[in-house]
Amino acid sequence: MAEKIKSVYICSECAYESAKWFGKCPGCGQWNTMSEELRESFSKSRTASVVRSRPTAEPVPITEISTEDEFRYFTGSKELDRVLGGGIVKGSLVLLGGDPGIGKSTILLQICSHLGKILKILYISGEESRRQIKLRAARLGVNCENLFILTETDVQAVADRIQSEKPDLVMIDSIQTMNFKELSSSPGSVTQVRECTNILMRTSKSLDIPCIIVGHVNKDGAIAGPKVLEHIVDAVLYFEGDKQMSYRILRAVKNRYGSTNEIGVFCMGDKGLAEVENPSLMLLSGRPKNVSGTCVACSMEGSRPILAEIQGLVTNSGYGNARRMSTGFDYNRMSMLLAVLEKRCGYYFSSLDAYVNVIGGLRLDEPAADLAVSLALVSSLKDIVVPEDLMAFGEVGLTGEIRAVSHAALRVTEAARLGFTRCILPWHNIKGLNLPQDAGIEVIGVRTIRDAVQALNR
Ligand code: TYD
Ligand code: MG
């Protein structure tokens, strides 16, 4: 019987499907991401036939399931292991997302240089030729006999090859180049990307082989982004950071085998990605001295306190309506802080342009950064210099009160370790602080934002 072919519109960001086209996706609200795909009502058995050695599962009583720790491979990079929750779990599917050119292929090869000594690795690339990969590997000093390069885009051939070769680790670079021949849509479309991942998942789960899949993040909706796959895979890691700058932050947004708020910090150099063991030091290097409009905050990234410089700039507005811009800090939160400073402290920003920037490409989503952002803005407005040995953290409430935050002691200790001698923090945090006598840092507890500004002048 002839197969029915119907046309559907699918969002490349969130995979929302609809029978008609929308300019704005009703699922995720993104503009211009819906594209037409032909959807054959092909039977699932065809996909299943690709994975031949799939065992049929038996129900097992929960009491008989072993609770031993999952077997993990250490990647040789402490930062990456931390983000993964302690290494790559056997049989897991990890999605590594990020903008093109951010360093995804580089980190894969670097993992190979360590794990290739003990494991058989199959690196499947649909993007680069063998020669290109070899040249890069040579530059990164990767040369191990157990690393096999396969340039292939047909996902069925890839699945067959995984079954015949039985490697210990598979890498796919990238999922957007993989192609399932049974589907008529072009590689990179939502249907293709989803179906190819499903095939790879079934192959890797049935053989208990871990698989790392690279997915490009794209802004124009022409190819499906990694968001479409987040629910299929076990862990989703995103590479963030400015391509122009050398810092790269690896963040876990989903992890079935570990915590999701850990980050790994890397620095791109001529020998590939190097780990940054002391991110605070890196983020604070090159800080301007004796100028207004900058304040250091401390944010908890998972179990790690990280110090970051926040800059604020307040200037006369050239046009009628004031401009607000925020990089690395939530825009709405910045507007709220400006409103609190205006209403509760009498600092007038309404006719002024205000900018906030977190240095080093870091994104601070913790309310604990509120106080430092407010101080940076007031410092720029009033031209008061925040002393360079002072750090501030605390959540700002709508009445201008400073609210307690978690992990105060860890934050203060990290600041002391990096040579800060004063710290402004919520008054309610002082009680539970229990700092050692020789901590070498003076803590200043404040109840309101007004107190905090006054503390600057002490
Ligand atoms: P790449 O890993 O190819 O990015 P992706 O796979 O995410 O698209 O990284 C490419 C960028 O990294 C490229 O702009 C060059 C830079 N790079 C270095 O600066 N040093 C190096 O040692 C390597 C391998 C790449
Ligand atoms: Mg690449």
Side-chain angles (χ1 to χ4, degrees), residues 98-107 127-128 136 139-140 173 214 216 239 243 248 268-273:
D99 294 333
I102 196 116
K104 300 180 295 295
S105 309
T106 307
I107 201 166
E127 307 215 320
E128 291 161 303
R136 180 189 310 215
R139 194 142 57 88
L140 295 173
D173 190 7
V214 166
H216 293 295
F239 246 128
K243 238 186 295 172
R248 303 282 188 272
M268 181 67 95
D270 51 358
K271 286 263 180 304
L273 289 159

Side-chain angles (χ1 to χ4, degrees), residues 264-319:
V265 185
F266 297 88
C267 178
M268 181 67 95
D270 51 358
K271 286 263 180 304
L273 289 159
E275 297 180 24
V276 176
E277 294 202 352
N278 198 339
S280 304
L281 203 61
M282 173 197 84
L283 289 167
L284 294 182
S285 64
R287 197 153 56 100
K289 297 206 162 85
N290 246 333
V291 290
S292 59
T294 148
C295 182
V296 173
C298 185
S299 164
M300 291 301 295
E301 296 289 348
S303 52
R304 261 200 308 189
I306 290 184
L307 297 189
E309 180 190 351
I310 297 178
Q311 296 193 335
L313 180 67
V314 180
T315 59
N316 277 324
S317 182
Y319 307 99

Side-chain angles (χ1 to χ4, degrees), residues 22 56 112 125 172 237 280 307 352 399 421 442:
F22 289 101
T56 46
C112 294
S125 178
I172 309 282
L237 315 182
S280 304
L307 297 189
L352 301 170
T399 66
T421 56
E442 180 196 354

Side-chain angles (χ1 to χ4, degrees), residues 123 190 227:
Y123 183 106
V190 174
K227 279 249 172 321

